[in-house]
Amino acid sequence: ACSSTEATTTTASPTAVGVLETAAATMGSVETVQFSIERGGEPVYIDTQGFLEFVSATGRYAAPGAAEALVTVSALGLSTEVGAVVIEGDTWLTNPITGAWEPTPPGYTFDPATLFEPQIGFRAMLQEGIPTVEDLGDEVVDETALRHLQFTASGERVEVVTAGMVRGADVTIDVWIEPTSGELRRAKFPTTIGATPTQWDLTFFDYGADITITPPDLEG
C-alpha cells in the first residue's frame, strides 16, 4: 500500500520592523495618492497671524512635489473653505472672502506636498521609527486587514506631516499599514502646543490613481 502526505506550508506574518521597512520604501516612491487630515483639540493656524484656524483638509498628491487640497478653516467663529495648490514650492490659495485664486500671502504654513517628500516626509518618519516600533497586531479597517504599529516620531518629522503647522517635541504615533504593499492607510497622533493636546488623524487612499495637478487660473 502506498500513502502520501500533503505538505503544508505557512507563511510567517511579517515582523513590525519588516512592515515598517516595507512602508518606508512604499512611501518613498508614491506617485499619486489622495488624503484627508482631521484636527481636533487645541486650535492650530495655517497663518502666522492666527486668523485662519485649520479644521480639516481633503486633497490629492502627485509626484514630484505637487498637491491640491480643499481646506476647511474657521475665522472669527465662521467656518469656510479655502482652496490650496502647491507645485514644487509655489503655493496659491483662494481668498476666503472673494474665492479668487491668489499667490500665497506671507506667513502661510500649510504645505501637504511635504508629507510625501522622500527625504523629509513619511518615508523618513517610518525609517526613524524602527528602533522604537511596537506591534499592536492586525485590525480590519474597511474590510482590509491592516497592521497597527506604534512608534516614536521626532518633532522634526511631526512638523512635516502636519504640513508645517506644528513645531514641537517628539510624539507617539499610531499607524495602520497594509503589510503586503506597504501602503500607509492611517496615522494618528497628539501634539501639545497649548493648554490642551491637538489630535491629528490622517488617512490615505487611492494610491496610484490618475491625478494631474496644474497651477490655478489667476485670471478666472
Side-chain angles (χ1 to χ4, degrees), residues 15-168:
T15 65
V17 169
V19 172
L20 217 55
E21 289 176 336
T22 300
T26 296
M27 297 306 291
S29 58
V30 171
E31 290 295 326
T32 63
V33 67
Q34 299 194 57
F35 62 87
S36 69
I37 305 173
E38 301 281 344
R39 191 230 89 220
E42 189 77 11
V44 172
Y45 299 90
I46 66 173
D47 62 319
T48 55
Q49 292 79 21
F51 177 68
L52 297 175
E53 177 187 341
F54 177 85
V55 177
S56 64
T58 58
R60 312 187 302 167
Y61 167 82
E68 61 183 14
L70 186 62
V71 185
T72 300
V73 297
S74 179
L76 301 177
L78 299 176
S79 179
T80 188
E81 292 181 332
V82 175
V85 173
V86 180
I87 299 178
E88 296 187 1
D90 292 326
T91 308
W92 300 267
L93 292 177
T94 56
N95 186 295
I97 297 175
T98 67
W101 285 101
E102 301 173 347
T104 307
Y108 175 75
T109 58
F110 182 71
D111 183 358
T114 57
L115 276 68
F116 308 100
E117 290 292 329
Q119 302 307 316
I120 62 174
F122 264 109
R123 172 181 174 271
M125 173 179 280
L126 294 166
Q127 287 180 321
E128 291 180 0
I130 288 174
T132 60
V133 65
E134 180 180 353
D135 193 341
L136 300 181
D138 292 333
E139 297 180 11
V140 176
V141 180
D142 294 331
E143 301 182 349
T144 301
L146 304 179
R147 183 69 67 85
H148 182 185
L149 304 178
Q150 187 179 83
F151 59 88
T152 301
S154 70
E156 179 184 4
R157 299 302 168 215
V158 171
E159 179 180 349
V160 173
V161 300
T162 57
M165 290 182 285
V166 170
R167 297 173 177 83

